[in-house]
Amino acid sequence: MAFVSASSLRAGETIIFNGEPYRLTNVMHLTPGNLRAMVQTKMKHVKTGVNAEHRFRSDDKVEKAHMEQQEVEFLYQQAEEYVFMNTESYEQITFDKETLGDNVYYLLPNVKLQLDMFDGSPVGISPPMTMEFTITETAPHMKGATASNSPKPATLETGLVVTVPSFVETGEKIRIDTRENKYIERAK
């Protein structure tokens, strides 16, 4: 059994809640005034599809569901459905946007991902730890700004917004950490 801090939960992950497997569909970190930080989650039961909500304290330990994994390749998006192909059996698997959660931001054509299986049924995907994306929009570089004191938001080709150093420009390829949606470096 693997336990993680509630503050590290992300939409798209599968956890064991009240002894049952749930896929997180929405995760919001709250820090109200003088109160302790908390994590508000919306989740969907993996087998029954029943929706649930729960508020964890940020220091609560949450059990991650043990997943069997298979390699899949993202093929295409059709309306609100995302189609993947198992690289060994060539079987196609389809997920909707709600099931994938934040993982939709890591879907580029022909990218290899891990298909998460729970009790023999596909429940979602896991992206690689690092991926490369092209920046489609960001503010221009300001003369005199240094990398350490003026980060700026950048929109990537999939719609994901990450914070980058001021010297990074539109059109550049960057590498990001998919676990935290953080800029690592420029890609070569």
Side-chain angles (χ1 to χ4, degrees), residues 50-111:
V50 173
N51 289 318
E53 290 188 28
H54 186 73
R55 182 176 290 171
F56 295 98
R57 290 181 306 193
S58 63
D59 57 352
D60 282 349
K61 295 294 180 197
V62 180
E63 183 181 353
K64 287 191 77 169
H66 174 70
M67 296 288 165
E68 303 160 28
Q69 295 194 317
Q70 300 174 1
E71 186 177 75
V72 293
E73 183 177 317
F74 174 62
L75 296 178
Y76 59 91
Q77 177 184 357
Q78 182 175 345
E80 290 294 313
E81 304 248 307
Y82 297 83
V83 181
F84 301 85
M85 178 184 67
N86 184 312
T87 57
E88 290 180 17
S89 68
Y90 301 108
E91 174 188 357
Q92 291 191 2
I93 301 110
T94 304
F95 290 109
D96 62 12
K97 187 174 185 174
E98 183 181 71
T99 302
L100 294 176
D102 290 346
N103 289 330
V104 297
Y105 295 118
Y106 307 117
L107 301 181
L108 294 171
N110 306 317
V111 165

Side-chain angles (χ1 to χ4, degrees), residues 38-55:
M38 57 191 95
V39 179
Q40 180 69 38
T41 62
K42 290 183 182 180
M43 51 193 144
K44 185 180 234 177
H45 195 282
V46 167
K47 296 176 183 173
T48 63
V50 173
N51 289 318
E53 290 188 28
H54 186 73
R55 182 176 290 171

Side-chain angles (χ1 to χ4, degrees), residues 96-174:
D96 62 12
K97 187 174 185 174
E98 183 181 71
T99 302
L100 294 176
D102 290 346
N103 289 330
V104 297
Y105 295 118
Y106 307 117
L107 301 181
L108 294 171
N110 306 317
V111 165
K112 305 272 194 278
L113 307 137
Q114 293 299 315
L115 173 69
D116 296 331
M117 304 280 286
F118 189 83
D119 286 343
S121 299
V123 295
I125 58 151
S126 297
M129 284 192 205
T130 62
M131 290 182 70
E132 293 181 4
F133 294 94
T134 302
I135 296 175
T136 56
E137 183 182 339
T138 190
H141 178 63
M142 295 169 40
K143 290 192 186 305
T146 63
S148 62
N149 71 358
S150 51
K152 60 184 180 180
T155 304
L156 307 180
E157 59 195 297
T158 59
L160 180 65
V161 177
V162 296
T163 302
V164 298
S166 64
F167 59 82
V168 176
E169 301 287 340
T170 299
E172 286 190 71
K173 271 189 134 8
I174 61 168

